[in-house]
Amino acid sequence: MEIIKDKEFGGERPLFGLENTRLEGITIVDGESGIKCCRNMEATDCKFYGKYPWWHVDGSLIENCYFAVGSRSAIWYSNDMVMRHCVIDGPKFFREMNNLTLEDVTINDADETFWGVSNLKVKNVTLHEGTYPFMHCENVEVDGLKSDAKYVFQYCKNVVVRNAEIVTKDSFWECENVTVYDSELDGEYLAWHSKNVRLVNCHIAGEQPLCYVKDLVLENCTFDAACDRAFEDSEVEADIRGAITEIKNPITGHIVADEIGRITYDQYAKQPNNCKIEIRK
């Protein structure tokens, strides 16, 4: 593998078309498309400042690198990538990709990040600010995620999340096949219009959670006191530990909790309107 070390590059497409190359301590300064249409690339201890520095690169390892604010939209259309121990300050990373793994990565502007990614693995990743990360992703595995970005996981399929702390709005909206373990989910309108959602050992906070969901399962979950109007128009099997403030108009299923503040059924309750709701004895 060829090594390019301790150099600075700028301008338009300075490292276009490279193959089988390792970059060590390089800096991509102002310019566009620093590394483009490449194959089998490695980068370590590098810094990226210019726009779109890593497009159409298949087969890459990126470690201990920094992506500045100006490196927006930095990594698109690049398959088979592993990124470890990096800091990203730019928005709109990781678009239209297949086979992407991130480990110990901090993204400080998560705006429109992870769009259209298939076979995504995330371990010990932090997302800060921005909107709509993980839009239209499929086959996602998460173990260790801290996020305060808005509208996390929209229109996703086949998602498994473990050990996450998510503070957001409208998370897991219109998703299919989602399982979340041992996590804190704080935000309004959790999992609305989704299908086949399973939450295990999770704490749920925020208004109107888990409405309009088909095939919803909760196992050993807890609810914050502010969670009102839960389960409206949902098909639900729920084992709730502790209290839940309000259950409203579930369609069918079975809900058991240690304490229920109120059960609301009104004229808008949908048929078959036969959900069994009970306090644990």
Side-chain angles (χ1 to χ4, degrees), residues 152-155 168-176 178 180 185 187-199 204-205 207-218 231-234:
V152 178
F153 294 105
Q154 304 260 325
Y155 311 108
T168 186
K169 185 180 176 69
D170 297 9
S171 59
F172 298 99
W173 182 283
E174 203 167 320
C175 291
E176 187 172 350
V178 173
V180 183
L185 307 174
E188 298 174 322
Y189 320 132
L190 170 65
W192 277 32
H193 301 287
S194 291
K195 299 178 182 178
N196 192 20
V197 175
R198 181 176 173 231
L199 308 181
I204 297 158
E207 296 182 353
Q208 300 182 67
L210 304 166
C211 298
Y212 314 102
V213 187
K214 294 183 178 179
D215 298 322
L216 171 64
V217 176
L218 278 70
F231 307 123
E232 186 169 22
D233 291 351
S234 290

Side-chain angles (χ1 to χ4, degrees), residues 92-275:
K92 301 184 179 181
F93 270 61
F94 310 115
R95 298 276 193 98
E96 304 298 333
M97 298 174 63
N98 186 34
N99 292 333
L100 171 64
T101 297
L102 270 68
E103 184 174 349
D104 297 322
V105 174
T106 298
I107 302 175
N108 288 313
D109 185 352
D111 197 45
E112 299 180 14
T113 289
F114 301 119
W115 278 22
V117 180
S118 297
N119 302 309
L120 170 63
K121 294 183 179 180
V122 169
K123 185 174 183 180
N124 299 332
V125 167
T126 298
L127 303 183
H128 185 52
E129 295 188 345
T131 58
Y132 297 107
F134 302 104
M135 177 83 80
H136 292 293
C137 288
E138 294 189 5
N139 304 328
V140 180
E141 297 180 18
V142 174
D143 188 357
L145 172 66
K146 292 185 178 181
S147 175
D148 62 13
K150 291 182 179 179
Y151 316 118
V152 178
F153 294 105
Q154 304 260 325
Y155 311 108
C156 295
K157 292 183 179 180
N158 308 327
V159 179
V160 178
V161 175
R162 301 176 188 274
N163 305 309
E165 297 177 19
I166 297 173
V167 179
T168 186
K169 185 180 176 69
D170 297 9
S171 59
F172 298 99
W173 182 283
E174 203 167 320
C175 291
E176 187 172 350
N177 302 332
V178 173
T179 304
V180 183
Y181 298 95
D182 305 310
S183 297
E184 297 181 14
L185 307 174
D186 185 347
E188 298 174 322
Y189 320 132
L190 170 65
W192 277 32
H193 301 287
S194 291
K195 299 178 182 178
N196 192 20
V197 175
R198 181 176 173 231
L199 308 181
V200 182
N201 300 329
C202 291
H203 181 70
I204 297 158
E207 296 182 353
Q208 300 182 67
L210 304 166
C211 298
Y212 314 102
V213 187
K214 294 183 178 179
D215 298 322
L216 171 64
V217 176
L218 278 70
E219 301 175 20
N220 196 39
C221 291
T222 57
F223 281 76
D224 188 82
C227 293
D228 63 344
R229 294 164 284 175
F231 307 123
E232 186 169 22
D233 291 351
S234 290
E235 304 168 0
V236 55
E237 296 287 335
D239 173 15
I240 299 166
R241 301 293 164 164
I244 182 168
T245 297
E246 181 184 14
I247 296 169
K248 182 177 182 180
N249 289 349
I251 294 175
T252 190
H254 179 212
I255 301 170
V256 59
D258 295 315
E259 181 181 341
I260 300 172
R262 62 185 177 273
I263 299 170
T264 302
Y265 275 105
D266 58 25
Q267 68 271 32
Y268 304 108
K270 294 182 179 180
Q271 297 300 315
N273 192 11
N274 62 359
C275 185

